[in-house]
Amino acid sequence: MGKIYSINMLALKQDVTEEAFERFVREEWNPNFVPPPSVPGYLLIGVKGDRQGRYLWIGEFESRDAGERAEADGMWQKQPGNQALIDKWYTFDNGFGSIFTDYEVIE
């Protein structure tokens, strides 16, 4: 089995501005969030195409099993200091992971 890439579309709450969300990401999330070991993730903004100006998170897992374990174990919340950041994230976003697809690399 190949690596898994989890693609999560984000939707900001109606009263949240892009500027406020991006300021939170740059000033609080990026410098302080501790990703679980060997689970890189990336927050992206569309610059061209159907989702221009919209946000997306991509996570990389070594396998399907690794992705399932991460979900079940709450790996993100277990890292020191992450829970407060995650709670604040949800003041901006309408439901991380509610619109997602996991893709497996074809090897």
Side-chain angles (χ1 to χ4, degrees):
M1 290 205 288
K3 285 186 178 183
I4 296 292
Y5 289 88
S6 183
I7 311 298
N8 296 264
M9 294 182 192
L10 307 179
L12 299 183
K13 293 182 177 183
Q14 285 187 346
D15 61 339
V16 172
T17 66
E18 290 85 1
E19 294 81 14
F21 177 64
E22 290 182 21
R23 184 172 46 256
F24 161 71
V25 169
R26 286 188 184 100
E27 295 176 5
E28 297 181 52
W29 184 270
N30 287 346
N32 299 303
F33 185 78
V34 180
S38 71
V39 184
Y42 309 94
L43 179 63
L44 309 170
I45 186 167
V47 294
K48 186 177 180 181
D50 293 337
R51 292 195 41 88
Q52 183 175 346
R54 299 173 95 192
Y55 300 96
L56 178 68
W57 182 83
I58 298 176
E60 178 183 329
F61 301 93
E62 288 300 317
S63 66
R64 282 189 200 181
D65 290 340
E68 295 297 325
R69 279 194 310 275
E71 289 277 326
D73 294 345
M75 286 173 61
W76 286 269
Q77 292 86 343
K78 289 181 180 179
Q79 302 297 320
N82 280 2
Q83 187 60 59
L85 287 166
I86 291 168
D87 291 345
K88 188 164 183 181
W89 177 285
Y90 284 116
T91 67
F92 295 96
D93 176 49
N94 269 323
F96 181 86
S98 59
I99 302 175
F100 79 96
T101 303
D102 288 350
Y103 294 88
E104 185 172 6
V105 174
I106 300 171
E107 297 180 333

